[in-house]
């Protein structure tokens, strides 16, 4: 029994009257993840965000449900909501997961927009963290409340909202251990922190990439010297760093050279990539804010999809040791330091990958340069377990009903560290991973927006999936 037809309007009105206004307040809070705000405890933004979201949820707890803000020592907090089942099997639990910490500001926001400035334009709510992943607690709880309102049975649910995701979820394992007796045995995980390739249908994520993060520092001088004096005698640290990066990546193709960072792509995932390419076509590359005349790295859309989901890729996300251009004298600088963000495919061991990167960068330093690579985090990717037929059918029915189009499956290029942890801990659990991060939504970049109609439809889809889940023998 799915939710009532009238629930579409009910969800619509709740978003308008309450959810979107609360998200507007949420966007104003600069609660950057701990990695980007080491003073987060003192600054108090995270507590303010927790208070706002937990406060909203407390007003709307289903009958019998409890909410606790769990705090283990100095760790980032977790919101934990326990909702007793009205159906489903005894001892069977669904986890609905999301996060409330945010990425840092990033530059390049359009005039009038900004990370902490909520702006509603048509269907879109602009601002940092609305889509990634502030809306998740609202959608998760609302999906359950729709079922309660329509008297549609659901299994016991726990909603877990963490505050450390954008830092690699390093606080989460401790909470999972701590909460294990209260979580119980999971048969289904719903995660609303992922992406969609368009806003026209329900997209399920079948894989996620992992991430190796680290700082590469190269130094040949103990202090800067006149560049007219030094060039030609001492190698520039930036040239040495280019040589080192060439060990990781073919700069002509972007291909990562280290075997430890590659994996065999499963056949089924290649087929899904082919099907996705048929549905979204050039959207795979033209969704990006390209400068006029810029082309993607390949003309083959299937290859592009596989590149961003099942192959490693390097981005340099920060630099130190450089003055700003206005302050740059003619100096051979002593040190160049880069932050490397290396996506790794599912099924690749992140620790082994980080060790391979470190070994490749640090061995035989050119000119005897002082070279260090300090790994600051390594998270595994994730490959979905085989989908149970009931879930496959539930996703299809939900997509047809609420979007009017078939459900689709694809891998995602980003990382949600918790999915791997859950997959390891609950090998029998099914995963429904979806999200609103579609074309242009630009999580982590400037001009991030939440596509409000998609958030509403996803909420209804989750409700229907929970309803079908509770009917399984
Ligand atoms: Zn996220």
């Amino acid at each position: 029994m799915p939710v009532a037809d009238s629930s579409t309007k009910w969800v619509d009105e709740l978003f308008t009257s309450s959810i979107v206004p609360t998200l507007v307040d949420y966007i104003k809070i600069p609660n950057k993840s701990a990695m980007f705000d080491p003073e987060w405890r003192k600054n108090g933004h995270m507590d303010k965000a927790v208070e706002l979201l937990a406060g909203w949820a407390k007003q709307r707890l289903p009958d019998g449900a409890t909410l606790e803000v769990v705090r283990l020592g100095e760790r980032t907090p977790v919101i934990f909501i326990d909702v007793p089942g009205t159906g489903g099997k005894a001892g069977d639990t669904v986890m609905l997961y999301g996060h409330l910490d945010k990425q840092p500001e990033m530059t390049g926001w359009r005039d009038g927009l900004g990370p902490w400035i909520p702006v509603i334009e048509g269907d879109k709510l602009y601002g940092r963290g609305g889509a990634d992943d502030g809306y998740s607690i609202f959608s998760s709880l609302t999906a359950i409340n729709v079922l309660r309102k329509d008297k549609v049975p659901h299994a016991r649910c726990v909603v877990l909202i963490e505050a450390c995701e954008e830092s690699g979820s390093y606080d989460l394992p401790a909470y999972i251990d701590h909460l294990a007796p209260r979580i119980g045995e999971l048969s289904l995980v719903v995660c609303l922190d992922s992406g969609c390739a368009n806003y026209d249908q329900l997209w399920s994520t079948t894989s996620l990439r992992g991430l190796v993060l680290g700082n590469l520092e190269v130094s040949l001088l103990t202090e800067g010297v006149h560049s007219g004096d030094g060039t030609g005698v001492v190698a520039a640290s930036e040239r040495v760093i280019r040589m080192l990066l060439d060990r990781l990546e073919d700069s002509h193709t972007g291909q990562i050279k280290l075997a430890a960072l590659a994996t065999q792509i499963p056949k089924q995932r290649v087929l899904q990539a082919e099907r996705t390419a048929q549905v979204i076509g050039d959207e795979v590359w033209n969704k990006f804010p390209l400068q006029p005349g810029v082309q993607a790295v390949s003309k083959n859309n299937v290859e592009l999809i596989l590149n961003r989901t099942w192959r490693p890729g390097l981005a340099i996300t920060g630099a130190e040791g450089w003055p700003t251009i206005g302050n740059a004298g003619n100096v051979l600088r002593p040190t160049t330091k880069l932050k490397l963000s290396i996506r790794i495919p599912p099924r690749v061991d992140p620790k082994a990958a980080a060790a391979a990167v470190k070994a490749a960068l640090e061995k035989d330093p050119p000119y005897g340069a002082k070279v260090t690579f300090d790994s600051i985090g390594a998270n595994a990717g994730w490959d979905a377990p085989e989908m149970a037929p009931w879930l496959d059918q539930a996703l299809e029915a939900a997509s047809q009903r609420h979007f009017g189009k078939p459900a689709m499956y694809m891998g995602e290029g980003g990382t949600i560290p918790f999915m791997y942890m859950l997959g390891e801990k609950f090998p029998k659990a099914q995963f429904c991973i979806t999200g609103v991060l579609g074309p242009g939504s630009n999580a982590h970049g400037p001009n991030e927006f939440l596509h409000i109609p998609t958030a509403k439809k996803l909420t209804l889809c989750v409700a229907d999936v929970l309803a079908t889940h509770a009917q399984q023998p």
Side-chain angles (χ1 to χ4, degrees):
M1 184 164 80
V3 299
D5 288 334
S6 58
S7 289
T8 305
K9 188 153 172 271
W10 190 83
V11 167
D12 191 71
E13 285 171 359
L14 187 66
F15 265 81
T16 307
S17 65
S18 171
I19 294 178
V20 171
T22 312
L23 280 171
V24 162
D25 290 338
Y26 169 73
I27 285 170
K28 291 177 190 162
I29 308 171
N31 56 311
K32 291 189 280 185
S33 198
M35 186 191 278
F36 312 104
D37 183 11
E39 301 282 285
W40 66 270
R41 269 179 229 99
K42 208 175 87 204
N43 290 334
H45 304 306
M46 198 63 80
D47 285 334
K48 225 173 136 188
V50 166
E51 209 175 292
L52 176 69
L53 300 193
W56 184 91
K58 268 185 204 156
Q59 302 294 312
R60 285 155 188 90
L61 287 182
D63 270 351
T66 58
L67 180 151
E68 189 190 335
V69 178
V70 190
R71 291 173 198 273
L72 292 179
E74 296 284 272
R75 294 185 189 278
T76 50
V78 157
I79 301 177
F80 186 76
I81 307 174
D82 191 337
V83 186
T86 55
K89 276 182 303 196
D92 204 3
T93 299
V94 180
M95 176 181 281
L96 298 100
Y97 161 84
H99 68 90
L100 60 80
D101 54 318
K102 299 177 186 174
Q103 279 282 318
E105 296 85 345
M106 192 59 200
T107 53
W109 290 76
R110 235 171 58 203
D111 273 355
L113 301 182
W116 325 123
I117 305 171
V119 173
I120 299 175
E121 251 177 40
D123 286 340
K124 297 166 184 166
L125 168 57
Y126 285 92
R128 175 68 78 234
D132 181 17
D133 184 36
Y135 86 106
S136 61
I137 186 171
F138 300 92
S139 280
S140 298
L141 203 56
T142 301
I144 300 169
N145 279 327
V146 168
L147 295 168
R148 288 292 184 94
K149 172 183 73 69
D150 293 345
K151 302 200 164 42
V152 178
H154 65 82
R156 173 174 179 261
C157 295
V158 293
V159 181
L160 189 149
I161 307 294
E162 67 156 317
C164 191
E165 199 273 345
E166 302 292 4
S167 300
S169 292
Y170 57 76
D171 279 341
L172 204 49
Y175 280 104
I176 296 306
D177 287 345
H178 174 75
L179 293 169
R182 290 161 66 182
I183 291 171
E185 200 54 44
L186 298 182
S187 63
L188 175 65
V189 174
V190 176
C191 167
L192 297 177
D193 187 28
S194 194
C196 50
N198 59 33
Y199 298 110
D200 304 329
Q201 53 210 124
L202 177 60
W203 288 85
S204 295
T205 302
T206 54
S207 68
L208 295 158
R209 286 195 290 185
L211 179 63
V212 170
L213 274 184
N215 296 328
L216 172 61
E217 184 165 1
V218 172
S219 180
L220 291 92
L221 294 165
T222 57
E223 60 188 31
V225 299
H226 193 306
S227 62
D229 193 16
T231 49
V233 180
V234 182
S237 59
E238 63 269 22
R239 183 164 70 82
V240 171
I241 228 164
R242 280 165 60 195
M243 294 166 75
L244 296 175
L245 291 174
D246 280 344
R247 296 175 179 181
L248 292 189
E249 181 197 47
D250 180 335
S251 59
H252 294 278
T253 62
Q255 244 175 37
I256 299 296
K257 294 173 173 174
L258 305 183
L261 274 63
T263 190
Q264 183 82 31
I265 307 177
K267 213 178 191 140
Q268 199 207 1
R269 300 297 182 232
V270 177
L271 292 173
Q272 284 172 348
E274 288 169 355
R275 189 144 175 254
T276 299
Q278 279 165 13
V279 171
I280 65 171
D282 290 343
E283 185 86 10
V284 62
W285 57 268
N286 69 16
K287 69 170 183 173
F288 294 103
L290 299 174
Q291 295 282 9
V294 170
Q295 295 145 11
V297 302
S298 164
K299 290 203 157 51
N300 182 329
N301 289 339
V302 178
E303 285 304 303
L304 292 176
I305 291 169
L306 293 174
N307 277 354
R308 78 179 270 282
T309 53
W310 279 89
R311 293 186 183 123
L314 167 69
I316 294 163
T317 56
E320 280 174 16
W322 308 77
T324 57
I325 284 176
N327 252 329
N330 292 317
V331 175
L332 195 58
R333 296 172 305 98
T335 298
T336 298
K337 189 170 179 180
L338 301 178
K339 185 173 182 183
L340 309 189
S341 160
I342 308 167
R343 298 289 167 177
I344 54 172
R347 300 182 175 190
V348 165
D349 176 3
K351 286 210 176 76
V357 169
K358 185 176 174 68
L361 292 172
E362 290 185 353
K363 80 168 176 220
D364 306 330
Y367 308 106
K370 194 168 160 236
V371 175
T372 52
F373 177 76
D374 288 327
S375 173
I376 50 174
N379 290 113
W382 174 80
D383 188 21
E386 197 177 337
M387 190 172 275
W390 75 262
L391 181 55
D392 195 24
Q393 287 155 19
L395 293 169
E396 177 65 21
S399 187
Q400 291 287 4
R401 182 166 184 224
H402 301 295
F403 287 90
K405 280 198 172 177
M408 287 291 298
Y409 299 92
M410 67 164 185
E412 274 296 344
T415 308
I416 310 175
F418 191 38
M419 294 305 108
Y420 177 80
M421 294 179 213
L422 283 177
E424 291 290 287
K425 246 192 164 83
F426 302 100
K428 287 196 208 117
Q430 287 286 299
F431 286 77
C432 168
I433 302 187
T434 181
V436 291
L437 303 180
S441 62
N442 220 17
H444 300 202
N447 311 320
E448 175 181 344
F449 67 74
L450 171 69
H451 192 259
I452 300 168
T454 300
K456 293 174 185 170
K457 289 173 195 171
L458 276 188
T459 304
L460 290 158
C461 287
V462 170
D464 276 348
V465 168
L466 293 178
T468 310
H469 166 265
Q471 291 164 3
Q472 299 316 302

